[in-house]
Amino acid sequence: MRSAVVVFPGSNCDRDVEKALLYMETGPVDMVWHDDAAFPHRPDLVVLPGGFAYGDYLRSGALAAKSRIMGAVRAHAEEGGLVLGICNGFQILAEAGLLPGALLPNASLRFICRPTYLRVENNDTPFTCSFADSEIVQFPIAHHEGLYYLPDDELDRLERNGRVVFRYADRESGDAGEAYSPNGSLRGIAGIINERGNVLGLMPHPERATVQGLIWGMDGKGVWRSLEEHFGAWEGK
Amino acid sequence: MDYKSAGISDKEYEKILELLGRAPNDLETSLIGVMWSEHCSYKSTRKLLESFPKSGRHVAQGQGENAGVVDCGSGWGLAFKVESHNHPSAVAPYQGAATGVGGIIRDILAMGARPAVSMDGLFFGLPGSGKSRALASGIVEGVAGYGNAVGVATIGGKTFYDPCFEGNPLLNAFNCGFVRLDRIVSSKTARAGHLAVLLGAKTGRDGIAGASFASRELDQDSRESRPQIQIGDPFEEKLLIECCLELHAKGLIASMQDMGAAGILSSSSEIAHKSGVGIEIFCEKIPLREAMTPQEIFLSESQERMLLIVEPEKFDSVKEMAAHYALECVVIGNIVEGDRYRVFLNGELIADLPHSILGDAPLADWPSAEPEDAPGRGALPQGLKSADLAGDLLRLIGCECGRNKSEIWEQYDCQVQLRTVKGPGGQVSAITVPESDSLVTLSMEAEPWKCRANPFLGAAETMAQSLRIQVVSGAEALGMTNCLNFPSPENPENFFELSECVRGLAMVCEQMECPVVSGNVSLYNETSKGGIYPVPLVVTVGLVPHFAYFVRCGCAEEGDLVYLVGANGGSLGASRWQTICSSPSMTPLGTTVAFDARQEKAFAARALATSRKAVVRGARVIAGGGVAVALAKEALASGVGMRVDFGSCDMLSALFGEGGPRALYFVHSESADKFLSLWDGYPVVLLGRAEGSSLRIGGMREIGLDELRTAHFAGGLL
């Protein structure tokens, strides 16, 4: 699997995604500058990493959504290529219209950094196929704008189509929903996928739960494992 | 220009006339004034600081640069430093704290290191009183706002509450970063013919003469000091970090210097002075946000600027890299032969000073006198007793100092850059060393109450405590940095306390062979209501040679044996119990345990051996609130109760006494013999076991974990 990690000015999880991919030995990783018009090599996976692209000064992700590389990202998605937006990357995908909805300031109006439990709501995607159905996993969050918002009727449609992929949950009971949102996210939504099933955005950070020996576990490995499985390259690493 | 308005005393002005052989012009007067300010010159403390041990086998770069560097093995060094941003944070909490974080990050960057993780020392008034809560909230949001955006994790620190910080909160910002040992940037490598290049933000009127502002007391006029507050832009800083590191990696810069206090003036004169060359700066070339006079330009503390020293043939490549990162990059001067610091405006020479006059400020000699009430402060009241031991314990783990601080540190990204092995909320923080199995451990300590009651013993205990935390976690201390926060040195009693604290720190560093590689001094921390208690804050850096040797807190399991190593009962003097639970309330009285080098070394050797043999489940150094609080915190962190008995002894000191080399160890019963043989020759008591879901201490009412949890997680700090 060949990955391209987009580096916006102000991205700060770009190196972490690279580190996680290299740690998982998923294949070559290209770091691609926001001002480039195209990817240096045709990627299997494009990752929009976390951080504060362009300082998030206008509105999280708003300026990044207009940067030059986003043309190539959009084209890649339209051809069915896989795109993964993590945290700020999710905000950028929402601003770019590649995913529906908006990420609003956390209900507490504070930045929150802590581990969260998620229930895998759809394991029939290239990003989640190695997880068990309704598996509870621990991924950390670190954001100020993570409250997922979409009008009610559109949320219903999203749910009906199985496009809610991760939902904040209770570790013990396995219950999931708004009561477990650390940020007030509607219906406990932590990650969604587009209609075609090739563009995933999530606020929690799988790359922060990948490398051994660091705080907050390694459940994030499941995402990279799924992708490798999807491309038929996973050899039980 | 009146030299007094530049902060220069009559005596100092005479010295200037003598050194210069003429009267300085207005610009020169203000340049000298700022460089001779307390903040830039350390004139009140330089002599005291000479007593710190500077060298050691792990020191790769000692004092005198932007930060010190210690050798972490496998070719990597760790650059680290702690710095205060107290005055700005008192006046504009968000921006003051944010730019404090930004400033210390640039110090580490200037060493050629990638800033890796930060810690913060926070000292607030009690949340219910005055504007303390608003100040605390603003400062915490400032630390978070800047650190999170710039992509540098904040992984620990120290938070302390006392009424003496009301109106004068302290923010001490620590940062560290890794640099290859053969790639350390020096400020001594500028040569004649090089260019002085300004990279980063435009210069504006923010933070003008902030260094002078930080060199006097906060008063009613301080609100009018808002123009002296700098405004931070973490986005610009992130670009600056990436650009500077890439320039350095490609060998495009001869040296660099961050622009902190006294901005262009300080960075350019320091580099000239340390490199032994002259420098010429051309005012009109400096990119400005607004029309400014030369004096304003030189004293501006606009943020996110770096001074690069570049060989002329490499400048085009430097400019190209800066353009890639959308950063302004302009030649503002030349390095020349000689020893002059010269400023030109449109071809006219407007300041011409030997750089030594800027770099070598005369010492200030303040009288010192032991406070008259020192014996009273050092005396523990007679007949102390507790009406309700369990109630006192709940108070201690629920008081502002003892309470869980997650509402603060959950606002900090503690994970970005994927280095964090142990984050906030414990005694020690730990990160991985690149390309290695070893860990760097960080411990920040301060003991304002103990230093108030006895500055020498209090400072010694502060430093010793930080070292104990290192050895118990399995780390050998590599070096220390410190921030000395004190009120005005011009008051003889204050200067006495400052001298005593430095003496205490220096003694422990010397005896325990922990060199001091960097530091910062913040004086004049007082308001019309009075000065702060003495706060010598230390950060020690340690190295655990393999992650398997790292000993943690909060991993006790049902059935583990609980051992106390060290004397049973420390001192109640200026302890948390004495200050919070006894009368008169919030008045630290009595001295802490005196430093005993032999005991400390015996403790350190055994603690390190215990880590290497991997025979314990976990450990916790006895800290604020004594053994009782240590037991309670371990019970909460590990989710298992404790059943212990102290036998027949003075329960008050046994439970709540503090000070001296003491720790709790949690040991599986099968490893007990091995553990005891490792601690042979040192006092060890088996207190009891980890079991159940409550704290059962002989002679005290049983406390359920839920009750402990409710007290400890009371929140309400922000």
Side-chain angles (χ1 to χ4, degrees), chain A residues 9-17 19-20 33-34 51-57 109-114 140-142 205 207-209 211 213-216, chain B residues 114 137 141 144-145 148-151 232-236 238-239 242 324-325 407 409-423 432 552 718:
Chain A
S11 291
N12 63 30
C13 302
D14 46 329
R15 286 161 192 275
D16 295 354
V17 171
K19 202 172 186 172
W33 189 234
H34 71 112
F52 292 70
Y54 299 89
D56 276 350
Y57 281 145
L109 299 180
R110 283 182 184 166
F111 190 97
I112 306 171
C113 175
R114 72 162 82 130
I141 57 163
H205 289 264
E207 85 283 10
R208 292 187 177 197
V211 177
L214 304 180
I215 53 172
W216 301 343
Chain B
R114 174 175 284 278
S137 298
E141 278 170 32
N148 297 348
V150 81
D233 178 358
F235 174 56
E236 181 95 1
K238 177 73 166 91
L239 298 173
E242 299 303 335
H324 176 75
Y325 287 102
E407 60 182 312
W409 46 257
E410 275 192 2
Q411 296 190 48
Y412 302 156
D413 186 337
C414 65
Q415 241 192 333
V416 65
Q417 292 192 34
L418 295 185
R419 304 176 191 277
T420 313
V421 171
K422 175 73 187 75
T432 52
R552 297 168 182 263
L718 298 178

Side-chain angles (χ1 to χ4, degrees), chain B residues 1-21:
Chain B
M1 177 187 193
D2 176 14
Y3 57 82
K4 283 190 179 150
S5 65
I8 297 169
S9 70
D10 292 335
K11 211 174 128 195
E12 287 172 340
Y13 192 70
E14 276 171 36
K15 182 85 185 165
I16 293 170
L17 294 179
E18 181 196 319
L19 287 171
L20 217 51

